[in-house]
Amino acid sequence: MATELIVGLDVDTRDEALRAVKSCGVCRWFKIGSQLFTRCGPDIVREVRGMGKEVFLDLKFHDIPNTVAKAARAAADLGVSLFTIHAAGGRKMIEATRAAVEGTSARILAVTVLTSLSDAMLRDEVGLPETAAETVFRYAKLATDSGAHGIVCSSHEIAVVREAVGPVPIIVTPGIRPVWAPADDQSRIMTPAEAARSGSNFIVVVRPILKHADPAQAVNLILEELAPCHP
Ligand code: C5P
């Protein structure tokens, strides 16, 4: 499968979001996260869908199985193609989520360990004895064994995740920086081409596109970089 670009709509208003979708018109995929969703509600999902785009709803559901299953079904009914849950919610939560979206076209992505957590934070604050890489491996396997269709991870974790989940599940990677863009606050970055060659199925890019003087040109540069990486 060719690596696809997802543009993250990390903005505060409906106008900014819709302007970004229009200016990135050649891109098919847009991510709506908690910032925009909390500002604008489900209508923003409907509007972006109404512009013929695929939506990745990144709200990282993590609750008791019944609640996550009901939220997942609501996301599927909104017409999202991808949405996130936390693998840390456990097998029953993931199985209930899968049952709730069966028969729809929504696919479940599990978040393993947030890339903002270090090994020391996991041990001393969260109380997990393993390293982040070990936890990523265990959570990725748990998630896909329990019915998740894919995993969100850092591009530097692709090899660990692929080993855990096998060839089929979708891998989605943020923390992507073309060589022409500043790193911002991302520390473990890869270029679009590197992430594609490492086996990422979707890359998520926000600031290099939305903060570019010409977002359409930024999208085109990234798509041109991905093109030769396609199998
Ligand atoms: O601007 P930038 O391309 O760094 O944005 C990356 C996007 O991916 C943001 O929406 C951020 O919340 C999300 N993300 C991330 N790292 C993770 C998970 C999600 O950067 N581990």
Side-chain angles (χ1 to χ4, degrees), residues 10 31 58 60 114-116 152 174-177 184-186 204-208:
D10 291 351
K31 178 169 91 80
D58 186 20
K60 298 187 178 67
L114 294 171
T115 47
S116 49
V152 183
I176 302 296
R177 283 297 177 274
D184 304 306
D185 55 359
Q186 297 281 14
V204 177
V205 184
V206 185
R207 284 164 290 182

Side-chain angles (χ1 to χ4, degrees), residues 146-204:
S146 308
H149 301 88
I151 302 293
V152 183
C153 64
S154 146
S155 51
H156 293 266
E157 292 165 346
I158 293 171
V160 169
V161 168
R162 202 42 97 193
E163 193 194 333
V165 305
V168 176
I170 308 160
I171 295 183
V172 180
T173 52
I176 302 296
R177 283 297 177 274
V179 287
W180 44 263
D184 304 306
D185 55 359
Q186 297 281 14
S187 49
R188 295 170 68 236
I189 55 180
M190 271 193 191
T191 65
E194 285 168 342
R197 282 195 293 265
S198 303
S200 180
N201 302 111
F202 291 88
I203 58 168
V204 177

Side-chain angles (χ1 to χ4, degrees), residues 32 36-49 55 57 59 74-75 78-80:
I32 294 175
L36 182 62
F37 192 84
T38 307
R39 292 273 179 202
C40 297
D43 279 348
I44 194 68
V45 176
R46 294 189 189 98
E47 287 199 82
V48 175
R49 289 284 299 129
V55 172
L57 187 65
L59 299 180
L78 267 178
V80 311

Side-chain angles (χ1 to χ4, degrees), residues 66-87:
N66 180 61
T67 302
V68 173
K70 292 275 169 32
R73 183 65 201 206
D77 290 344
L78 267 178
V80 311
S81 303
L82 297 169
F83 68 97
T84 42
I85 61 171
H86 270 285

